[in-house]
Amino acid sequence: MADVDILLVADPRFSGGSSTALIADARAFLDLGATVGLLLVTSRFFADPTDQPNPDVLALLDEAGVTPIESGATVTTKTAFLHHPLPFYHGVPEHAVMSADQVVLVVHHPPFRGDGSMEYNPLQTQAEIARKFGQSPLWAPVSGAIRRQLRSFAPLIRMTNTDWVNAFDIAGWCPERKGFDGPRPVVGRHGRPDPLKWPDRSSDIEAALKLGPDWSTHVLGCPREHLRDQGVDMTGWTVLDFNAAPVGDFLNDIDVFSYFYCDLWFEAFGRTVTEAMLMERPCILDPRLQATFGDLAQYCAPSEVRAAANRLRADPAETRRKSAQVRERIVLQYGTQSIGERLAALAVDHGTISRKGPIFAGPVQTVRKGIGLMRRRNAGIER
């Protein structure tokens, strides 16, 4: 039997922001003096045998204060955090006999795709969690964009009253170079090499990253073959494999962060964007991200990136001043120093079943989308 302050339950095969957020949370809990249990699950969501566990997640098992939890164990905890809904929707073989004051599902992914189709059913996900762990969770969206989608399932699910946003260890994000201090400015982006993280049209990809002969282009994490198949001309680009360099070092070498993605993709939070802001790099973004970042960035069509970037370049002192202000706001909102206060607030959060606020889909629409998802699953169609 294990008795821990915090229990974390997650599939370690996520390679992007959800695993990074899990790690940041875990270390923040440890810094607060909490004991942490870690139960790793192996969901059927990962059907590709080449998907490997994230080594940084596995490394948590060796940290002082972390107790590995085996499937079937009896665990007593104040708060259990289950990370990402998709593994639980698709089913996990592992389980625990859990006694928790509070069970929280951190929702890193929306139920609806960019085209409006349903990717997972929160009601089925909730039932699977209750079956495997004995308690239904509070749903904790990582952003207001996900909260808007989850309201479509109220009052059948209960959400936390405030978002459980991604946390960042600010000490690891310190810009060492001022933007636009070199002879040739650099535009760039980073992220896992998923085609969904890139625009559908080669013209949009090139417009967002090829800003003319007086600019350089650096990319960390790029689906090279997919872009070549699309006809994207990457001549002259500096392209590094995902995780080939520390993200902070990469961002330190660029001057403008330009990020656009495909029509089907729904960006749940935008951790890569936040990292760029922490490194005091101005961000030119897909307009769909304005709901998350508001006045912290600029938004435009890919065809307008070149003009926007050249305006930033024309007044480097003003660009640096604004980028420093953005960093200060990000530190206050997302720094791990806020985790203790957020955890205390969560402990007395009994959740909400209110549909008040923007809703992605009405009851009839939601039911129809759920039926469509069920039909696709029965037919063995994932998309």
Side-chain angles (χ1 to χ4, degrees):
M1 179 174 177
D3 189 348
V4 293
D5 296 317
I6 304 289
L7 174 65
L8 301 175
V9 183
D11 193 313
R13 288 172 288 179
F14 285 102
S15 59
S18 58
S19 279
T20 307
L22 165 75
I23 294 164
D25 282 1
R27 290 183 174 149
F29 297 147
L30 293 171
D31 288 344
L32 290 170
T35 55
V36 175
L38 180 58
L39 171 60
L40 299 180
V41 297
T42 52
S43 170
R44 290 188 290 274
F45 169 64
F46 290 96
D48 188 339
T50 63
D51 289 319
Q52 296 297 313
N54 185 323
D56 293 331
V57 174
L58 298 183
L60 287 175
L61 295 168
D62 298 323
E63 296 209 14
V66 175
T67 300
I69 305 296
E70 299 295 330
S71 177
T74 298
V75 185
T76 300
T77 185
K78 295 174 183 175
T79 307
F81 288 95
L82 283 61
H83 276 263
H84 210 295
L86 278 169
F88 303 100
Y89 170 67
H90 287 272
V92 297
E94 295 83 4
H95 71 284
V97 181
M98 191 165 66
S99 175
D101 295 341
Q102 196 172 46
V103 178
V104 178
L105 174 61
V106 183
V107 190
H108 298 278
H109 197 79
F112 299 106
R113 299 189 182 97
D115 64 357
S117 63
M118 192 182 291
E119 187 168 5
Y120 68 89
N121 187 328
L123 303 184
Q124 290 176 262
T125 305
Q126 183 166 266
E128 173 69 7
I129 291 171
R131 187 173 70 86
K132 285 291 184 176
F133 301 98
Q135 294 176 240
S136 292
L138 271 176
W139 290 68
V142 299
S143 70
I146 292 183
R147 179 176 294 274
R148 174 174 174 256
Q149 289 203 9
L150 290 177
R151 285 196 188 102
S152 299
F153 300 89
L156 301 178
I157 66 171
R158 182 176 292 273
M159 282 190 288
T160 53
N161 281 284
T162 56
D163 300 337
W164 189 263
V165 298
N166 285 194
F168 296 80
D169 181 359
I170 304 306
W173 300 97
C174 297
E176 299 176 358
R177 180 184 74 86
K178 294 183 181 297
F180 295 109
D181 71 344
R184 185 183 176 93
V186 179
V187 62
R189 58 169 285 166
H190 77 91
R192 56 187 173 86
D194 187 336
L196 291 173
K197 295 281 191 173
W198 290 74
D200 300 285
R201 293 159 290 280
S202 60
S203 58
D204 286 344
I205 295 173
E206 292 185 10
L209 290 170
K210 295 184 72 171
L211 305 189
D214 53 342
W215 283 82
S216 296
T217 301
H218 291 187
V219 176
L220 176 63
C222 174
R224 288 183 175 88
E225 290 186 12
H226 174 75
L227 266 58
R228 290 193 187 103
D229 290 344
Q230 285 185 290
V232 178
D233 181 8
M234 294 183 283
T235 303
W237 291 16
T238 299
V239 180
L240 301 176
D241 290 337
F242 184 59
N243 286 334
V247 172
D249 292 349
F250 171 81
L251 291 170
N252 203 60
D253 289 338
I254 72 170
D255 298 288
V256 173
F257 186 81
S258 173
Y259 185 68
F260 295 80
Y261 48 95
C262 92
D263 296 341
L264 186 65
W265 183 250
F266 185 100
E267 193 67 56
F269 176 71
R271 190 175 183 93
T272 58
V273 175
T274 312
E275 291 167 346
M277 291 176 175
L278 283 170
M279 293 298 289
E280 295 187 7
R281 295 307 180 247
C283 295
I284 304 175
L285 307 177
D286 189 303
R288 289 172 289 176
L289 285 167
Q290 190 165 7
T292 300
F293 293 105
D295 63 354
L296 297 174
Q298 296 188 39
Y299 310 90
C300 64
S303 61
E304 299 169 317
V305 170
R306 181 177 181 178
N310 281 325
R311 285 194 295 271
L312 294 168
R313 178 187 183 185
D315 192 347
E318 178 64 8
T319 297
R320 292 169 191 151
R321 185 187 70 81
K322 288 183 178 179
S323 296
Q325 289 179 341
V326 167
R327 184 183 192 276
E328 290 175 2
R329 290 171 61 185
I330 290 292
V331 167
L332 289 175
Q333 190 168 355
Y334 300 119
T336 50
Q337 79 284 344
S338 67
I339 286 285
E341 186 177 322
R342 288 167 52 192
L343 194 59
L346 185 63
V348 294
D349 188 345
H350 300 295
T352 176
I353 57 173
S354 172
R355 293 173 64 87
K356 186 177 180 181
I359 295 176
F360 185 83
V364 174
Q365 261 188 311
T366 301
V367 170
R368 286 176 177 168
K369 291 176 185 293
I371 292 171
L373 173 60
M374 189 180 304
R375 286 174 176 166
R376 295 199 307 273
R377 289 197 78 184
N378 291 341
I381 302 171
E382 294 299 320
R383 295 285 180 188

